[in-house]
Amino acid sequence: FLYLALRIKCRLAIRGEEHIPRQGGIIIASNHASYLDPPIVGVASRHRIVRFMARDTLFETKWLGWLLTRFGVVALDRTKGDVGAIKAAIRLLKAGNCVCLFPEGTRSVDGELQEAKGGIGFLIHKAGVPVVPAYIKGTYEAWPKGAKKLVSHPVSIAFGPVITPESLRIEDERGKPDFAAIGGLVMDKIALLSSKTGS
């Protein structure tokens, strides 16, 4: 239903879906500019059930909280380092699930890419699974932060080649995992997809 709705309303185009492994723990890391981004990632990853992390305040609305729980969404308290949510996501990944992360942490206010939040590199390092970068184009124009309704505008998503766990083992000068650099590498791969699609 969502796929058809997005095809009709926003002429959704999908590219690079073959980069998503059909089994095993995998992270999809995407830019985030709109409420549309999670459903787009979900319908574009047609061979996998995608789990998400979402701010816990969304669960305060009764019907939405029920729906998010049914979809296996992990509640995340963004006011602090939510260790419980990070551990839950790592458990899902180690059990072979596909989890989508938005490294920027929240929707971009201007549609431009932001820096990765600190906890993203930590989660990626601890999970030890491949990462598939994704870039979503057009959702900022279709439904930007603060807008009251969706407008018709073409949207697309492009998935890039897998980033292997080996290439994500980045250490600092003390030989310890460099979480900021890990998050930065993932954002660089997302930015590369952006340049190819024309942001």
Side-chain angles (χ1 to χ4, degrees), residues 85-173:
I86 291 174
K87 286 182 176 179
I90 292 171
R91 283 196 298 271
L92 285 170
L93 290 162
K94 288 187 177 296
N97 290 283
C98 175
V99 175
C100 177
L101 303 177
F102 297 108
E104 297 159 291
T106 187
R107 288 167 294 155
S108 170
V109 296
D110 58 6
E112 299 297 320
L113 293 176
Q114 314 296 311
E115 290 185 358
K117 295 294 184 184
I120 292 297
F122 175 82
L123 194 161
I124 291 171
H125 170 76
K126 290 295 185 182
V129 299
V131 176
V132 174
Y135 180 74
I136 303 171
K137 179 184 177 183
T139 54
Y140 178 77
E141 291 78 12
W143 196 1
K145 191 172 185 177
K148 295 186 183 298
K149 63 179 182 178
L150 169 68
V151 299
S152 181
H153 188 279
V155 300
S156 63
I157 181 169
F159 297 100
V162 166
I163 311 171
T164 65
E166 291 74 23
S167 62
L168 288 163
R169 291 184 187 133
I170 307 172
E171 297 181 344
D172 59 21
E173 63 278 1

Side-chain angles (χ1 to χ4, degrees), residues 32-40 55 58 107 139 143-147:
H32 195 18
S34 170
Y35 280 135
L36 285 175
D37 300 330
I40 285 174
R55 69 176 191 268
L58 293 175
R107 288 167 294 155
T139 54
W143 196 1
K145 191 172 185 177

